[in-house]
Amino acid sequence: MERTLIIVKPDGVQRGLTGEIVRRFEARGLRIIGMKFMIPSRELAARHYAVHEGKPFYPGLIDYITSGPVLVMALEGPGAIEAARNTIGKTNPVEAAAGSIRGDFGITIGRNLVHGSDGPETAAKELALWFEPHELVNWQRDTDRWILEDN
Ligand code: IDP
Ligand code: MG
């Protein structure tokens, strides 16, 4: 079992796409274990995007991610990180496959709707950054035996 951190960015929220985006992860079989709605502080945004500090798009990225409410999710499942990244699509929506979230709803890299952790280490760091341990819910999904071979 793997966990990943997903954010519906402010454009996704403002465009009324939160339900559609959550639906896609749920339909994929990823289990929601945490969810919150918030306007990220600049400090939180800076810690989340620390690896991009100094890049030309960094100031715009911080303005963008703090520009309004986001929906933050912790998802769990086998291969959850890669599965979620594939459901999200390539960073530049122009290159994202049709059928992915960015490929279906995005057209420019600076408004690409969703964040997903890119590896196990980043996922652990990001989950700890956005969620307190007690905010993550351990639960059994009744449909798991139809979604997961080993559950
Ligand atoms: P990812 O979100 O697919 O992991 P990263 O390369 O980690 O992509 O970049 C983080 C975020 O920074 C992107 O999702 C996008 O919002 C923004 N970003 C990346 N490159 C550019 C760019 O060239 N122009 C504007 N924004 C960018
Ligand atoms: Mg990234």
Side-chain angles (χ1 to χ4, degrees), residues 12-29:
V13 173
Q14 294 285 355
R15 291 172 59 189
L17 291 170
T18 47
E20 169 67 25
I21 290 168
V22 173
R23 188 194 67 74
R24 289 178 176 223
F25 292 114
E26 278 192 304
R28 187 86 197 259

mmCIF file of all heavy atoms in Angstrom, residues 12-29:
data_model
loop_
_atom_site.group_PDB
_atom_site.id
_atom_site.type_symbol
_atom_site.label_atom_id
_atom_site.label_comp_id
_atom_site.label_asym_id
_atom_site.label_seq_id
_atom_site.Cartn_x
_atom_site.Cartn_y
_atom_site.Cartn_z
ATOM 1 N N GLY A 12 -8.736 24.644 -10.349
ATOM 2 C CA GLY A 12 -9.675 23.523 -10.322
ATOM 3 C C GLY A 12 -10.875 23.829 -9.443
ATOM 4 O O GLY A 12 -12.022 23.520 -9.789
ATOM 5 N N VAL A 13 -10.609 24.473 -8.292
ATOM 6 C CA VAL A 13 -11.691 24.839 -7.381
ATOM 7 C C VAL A 13 -12.566 25.930 -8.000
ATOM 8 O O VAL A 13 -13.795 25.823 -8.050
ATOM 9 C CB VAL A 13 -11.119 25.307 -6.018
ATOM 10 C CG1 VAL A 13 -12.224 25.862 -5.124
ATOM 11 C CG2 VAL A 13 -10.394 24.161 -5.325
ATOM 12 N N GLN A 14 -11.913 26.999 -8.518
ATOM 13 C CA GLN A 14 -12.663 28.126 -9.085
ATOM 14 C C GLN A 14 -13.519 27.702 -10.279
ATOM 15 O O GLN A 14 -14.607 28.242 -10.492
ATOM 16 C CB GLN A 14 -11.704 29.247 -9.518
ATOM 17 C CG GLN A 14 -10.960 29.937 -8.385
ATOM 18 C CD GLN A 14 -11.817 30.888 -7.573
ATOM 19 O OE1 GLN A 14 -12.981 31.128 -7.888
ATOM 20 N NE2 GLN A 14 -11.250 31.428 -6.514
ATOM 21 N N ARG A 15 -13.049 26.732 -11.035
ATOM 22 C CA ARG A 15 -13.783 26.278 -12.212
ATOM 23 C C ARG A 15 -14.844 25.225 -11.883
ATOM 24 O O ARG A 15 -15.499 24.685 -12.783
ATOM 25 C CB ARG A 15 -12.799 25.747 -13.260
ATOM 26 C CG ARG A 15 -11.936 26.856 -13.882
ATOM 27 C CD ARG A 15 -10.844 26.286 -14.763
ATOM 28 N NE ARG A 15 -11.396 25.485 -15.861
ATOM 29 C CZ ARG A 15 -10.648 24.734 -16.687
ATOM 30 N NH1 ARG A 15 -9.334 24.689 -16.545
ATOM 31 N NH2 ARG A 15 -11.230 24.039 -17.650
ATOM 32 N N GLY A 16 -14.995 24.914 -10.594
ATOM 33 C CA GLY A 16 -16.031 23.962 -10.200
ATOM 34 C C GLY A 16 -15.712 22.532 -10.592
ATOM 35 O O GLY A 16 -16.621 21.736 -10.835
ATOM 36 N N LEU A 17 -14.412 22.209 -10.643
ATOM 37 C CA LEU A 17 -14.005 20.875 -11.086
ATOM 38 C C LEU A 17 -13.601 19.956 -9.925
ATOM 39 O O LEU A 17 -13.140 18.833 -10.170
ATOM 40 C CB LEU A 17 -12.836 20.989 -12.077
ATOM 41 C CG LEU A 17 -13.193 21.604 -13.440
ATOM 42 C CD1 LEU A 17 -11.936 21.892 -14.254
ATOM 43 C CD2 LEU A 17 -14.129 20.677 -14.217
ATOM 44 N N THR A 18 -13.791 20.395 -8.681
ATOM 45 C CA THR A 18 -13.350 19.553 -7.554
ATOM 46 C C THR A 18 -14.057 18.195 -7.569
ATOM 47 O O THR A 18 -13.407 17.158 -7.430
ATOM 48 C CB THR A 18 -13.579 20.229 -6.183
ATOM 49 O OG1 THR A 18 -14.895 20.742 -6.163
ATOM 50 C CG2 THR A 18 -12.610 21.360 -5.946
ATOM 51 N N GLY A 19 -15.360 18.216 -7.742
ATOM 52 C CA GLY A 19 -16.115 16.956 -7.733
ATOM 53 C C GLY A 19 -15.648 16.021 -8.835
ATOM 54 O O GLY A 19 -15.412 14.827 -8.611
ATOM 55 N N GLU A 20 -15.487 16.558 -10.037
ATOM 56 C CA GLU A 20 -15.038 15.785 -11.192
ATOM 57 C C GLU A 20 -13.651 15.173 -10.939
ATOM 58 O O GLU A 20 -13.396 14.011 -11.268
ATOM 59 C CB GLU A 20 -15.003 16.702 -12.426
ATOM 60 C CG GLU A 20 -14.326 16.135 -13.660
ATOM 61 C CD GLU A 20 -15.072 14.955 -14.284
ATOM 62 O OE1 GLU A 20 -16.296 14.864 -14.089
ATOM 63 O OE2 GLU A 20 -14.425 14.134 -14.950
ATOM 64 N N ILE A 21 -12.777 15.963 -10.340
ATOM 65 C CA ILE A 21 -11.403 15.493 -10.099
ATOM 66 C C ILE A 21 -11.383 14.420 -9.012
ATOM 67 O O ILE A 21 -10.763 13.368 -9.174
ATOM 68 C CB ILE A 21 -10.483 16.694 -9.774
ATOM 69 C CG1 ILE A 21 -10.280 17.532 -11.047
ATOM 70 C CG2 ILE A 21 -9.154 16.232 -9.206
ATOM 71 C CD1 ILE A 21 -9.640 18.902 -10.837
ATOM 72 N N VAL A 22 -12.103 14.645 -7.922
ATOM 73 C CA VAL A 22 -12.190 13.634 -6.863
ATOM 74 C C VAL A 22 -12.805 12.349 -7.421
ATOM 75 O O VAL A 22 -12.332 11.238 -7.156
ATOM 76 C CB VAL A 22 -13.017 14.142 -5.667
ATOM 77 C CG1 VAL A 22 -13.249 13.027 -4.652
ATOM 78 C CG2 VAL A 22 -12.338 15.326 -4.995
ATOM 79 N N ARG A 23 -13.827 12.502 -8.234
ATOM 80 C CA ARG A 23 -14.507 11.343 -8.831
ATOM 81 C C ARG A 23 -13.534 10.450 -9.598
ATOM 82 O O ARG A 23 -13.589 9.218 -9.513
ATOM 83 C CB ARG A 23 -15.616 11.818 -9.772
ATOM 84 C CG ARG A 23 -16.509 10.703 -10.309
ATOM 85 C CD ARG A 23 -17.357 11.156 -11.478
ATOM 86 N NE ARG A 23 -16.566 11.467 -12.662
ATOM 87 C CZ ARG A 23 -15.993 10.563 -13.464
ATOM 88 N NH1 ARG A 23 -16.112 9.268 -13.199
ATOM 89 N NH2 ARG A 23 -15.289 10.930 -14.505
ATOM 90 N N ARG A 24 -12.624 11.073 -10.328
ATOM 91 C CA ARG A 24 -11.690 10.287 -11.142
ATOM 92 C C ARG A 24 -10.750 9.430 -10.285
ATOM 93 O O ARG A 24 -10.443 8.304 -10.632
ATOM 94 C CB ARG A 24 -10.879 11.207 -12.057
ATOM 95 C CG ARG A 24 -11.754 11.763 -13.171
ATOM 96 C CD ARG A 24 -11.002 12.712 -14.056
ATOM 97 N NE ARG A 24 -11.875 13.139 -15.156
ATOM 98 C CZ ARG A 24 -11.485 13.237 -16.423
ATOM 99 N NH1 ARG A 24 -10.238 12.968 -16.751
ATOM 100 N NH2 ARG A 24 -12.327 13.614 -17.356
ATOM 101 N N PHE A 25 -10.296 10.001 -9.170
ATOM 102 C CA PHE A 25 -9.425 9.216 -8.284
ATOM 103 C C PHE A 25 -10.222 8.100 -7.598
ATOM 104 O O PHE A 25 -9.738 6.984 -7.455
ATOM 105 C CB PHE A 25 -8.765 10.116 -7.241
ATOM 106 C CG PHE A 25 -7.753 11.077 -7.818
ATOM 107 C CD1 PHE A 25 -7.978 12.450 -7.797
ATOM 108 C CD2 PHE A 25 -6.578 10.606 -8.394
ATOM 109 C CE1 PHE A 25 -7.040 13.335 -8.328
ATOM 110 C CE2 PHE A 25 -5.636 11.480 -8.930
ATOM 111 C CZ PHE A 25 -5.873 12.844 -8.899
ATOM 112 N N GLU A 26 -11.437 8.418 -7.173
ATOM 113 C CA GLU A 26 -12.278 7.401 -6.547
ATOM 114 C C GLU A 26 -12.596 6.280 -7.521
ATOM 115 O O GLU A 26 -12.507 5.100 -7.184
ATOM 116 C CB GLU A 26 -13.601 8.025 -6.067
ATOM 117 C CG GLU A 26 -13.524 8.724 -4.752
ATOM 118 C CD GLU A 26 -14.904 9.052 -4.216
ATOM 119 O OE1 GLU A 26 -15.670 9.734 -4.942
ATOM 120 O OE2 GLU A 26 -15.227 8.635 -3.099
ATOM 121 N N ALA A 27 -12.938 6.666 -8.744
ATOM 122 C CA ALA A 27 -13.292 5.665 -9.755
ATOM 123 C C ALA A 27 -12.103 4.766 -10.067
ATOM 124 O O ALA A 27 -12.259 3.582 -10.362
ATOM 125 C CB ALA A 27 -13.792 6.359 -11.026
ATOM 126 N N ARG A 28 -10.918 5.336 -9.985
ATOM 127 C CA ARG A 28 -9.701 4.558 -10.246
ATOM 128 C C ARG A 28 -9.490 3.485 -9.183
ATOM 129 O O ARG A 28 -8.808 2.494 -9.414
ATOM 130 C CB ARG A 28 -8.502 5.516 -10.261
ATOM 131 C CG ARG A 28 -7.177 4.908 -10.669
ATOM 132 C CD ARG A 28 -7.014 4.931 -12.157
ATOM 133 N NE ARG A 28 -5.977 4.043 -12.601
ATOM 134 C CZ ARG A 28 -4.729 4.401 -12.952
ATOM 135 N NH1 ARG A 28 -4.387 5.669 -12.898
ATOM 136 N NH2 ARG A 28 -3.866 3.529 -13.351
ATOM 137 N N GLY A 29 -10.081 3.677 -8.026
ATOM 138 C CA GLY A 29 -9.937 2.705 -6.942
ATOM 139 C C GLY A 29 -9.053 3.191 -5.811
ATOM 140 O O GLY A 29 -8.822 2.466 -4.844
#
